[in-house]
């Protein structure tokens, strides 16, 4: 592990072991506190592995989709297959269906690989209408997740 200062933010130093998921933010003496280990840039999460509970790699995190009106994270877009991103199948996964596993530097999705392969997916040129409540409800049902718009906002 190396100790570095974040670019553009001299108030925090980070201890990093290969990825943003295990980054531990420590305040520099006399400086304001940094964002913390569980507040991260969406850009920093791109490409992180998504595994199931068995540890099988299901794919990687392609995008984090925001519901701009509510200010909530709506979906993770999981990318599976393809070569260098070409021909990959994309899956919208409810954000609440993922669990951060910082020690293993990945997210965990509680589905078997076969179930994910049967999930409704899409390709880069044919995205679903993610704001369509009937589509969104079906996606949340598939993963056994309560739709984010039906949950009370966390404080």
């Amino acid at each position: 592990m190396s100790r570095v200062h974040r670019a553009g933010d001299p108030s925090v130093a980070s201890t990093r072991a290969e990825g943003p998921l295990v980054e531990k933010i420590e305040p520099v003496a006399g400086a304001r506190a940094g964002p913390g280990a569980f507040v991260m840039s969406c850009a920093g999460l791109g490409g992180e592995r998504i595994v199931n509970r068995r540890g099988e790699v299901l794919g990687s995190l392609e995008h984090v989709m925001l519901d701009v009106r509510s200010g909530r994270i709506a979906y993770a877009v999981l990318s599976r297959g393809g070569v260098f991103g070409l021909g990959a199948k994309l899956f919208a996964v409810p954000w609440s269906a993922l669990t951060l596993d910082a020690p293993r530097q990945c997210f965990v999705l509680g589905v078997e690989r076969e179930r994910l392969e049967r999930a409704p997916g899409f390709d880069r040129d044919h995205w679903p209408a993610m704001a369509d409540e009937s589509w969104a409800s079906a996606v949340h049902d598939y993963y056994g997740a309560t739709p984010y718009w039906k949950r009370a906002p966390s404080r």
Side-chain angles (χ1 to χ4, degrees), residues 13-137:
S14 64
T15 304
R16 181 177 281 249
E18 296 202 27
L21 293 181
V22 296
E23 186 171 57
K24 180 180 176 191
I25 306 300
E26 300 171 8
V28 173
R32 67 178 176 75
F38 292 100
V39 175
M40 297 178 231
S41 161
C42 289
L45 297 174
E48 293 296 339
R49 289 178 307 136
I50 298 176
V51 302
N52 62 18
R53 289 184 185 116
R54 290 182 175 173
E56 298 170 317
V57 176
L58 299 175
S60 62
L61 182 63
E62 183 85 9
H63 297 286
V64 176
M65 305 302 293
L66 304 176
D67 179 329
V68 177
R69 291 174 296 175
S70 71
R72 292 177 160 184
I73 298 175
Y75 304 99
V77 176
L78 185 154
S79 176
R80 178 169 176 76
V83 178
F84 300 114
L86 299 174
K89 187 171 182 182
L90 304 177
F91 301 90
V93 175
W95 185 253
S96 63
L98 294 172
T99 303
L100 174 66
D101 186 336
R104 291 194 300 166
Q105 301 181 30
C106 63
F107 285 97
V108 179
L109 176 61
V111 299
E112 296 301 319
R113 185 175 45 216
E114 296 77 20
R115 181 155 175 79
L116 178 65
E117 290 170 354
R118 292 190 305 270
F122 55 100
D123 64 45
R124 293 184 194 292
D125 296 326
H126 301 95
W127 282 63
M130 291 184 171
D132 175 16
E133 193 170 313
S134 63
W135 174 85
S137 292

Side-chain angles (χ1 to χ4, degrees), residues 72 94 96 133 136-138 140-141 144-152:
R72 292 177 160 184
S96 63
E133 193 170 313
S137 292
H140 281 79
D141 287 346
T146 301
Y148 68 92
W149 63 90
K150 291 184 178 181
R151 287 184 281 124

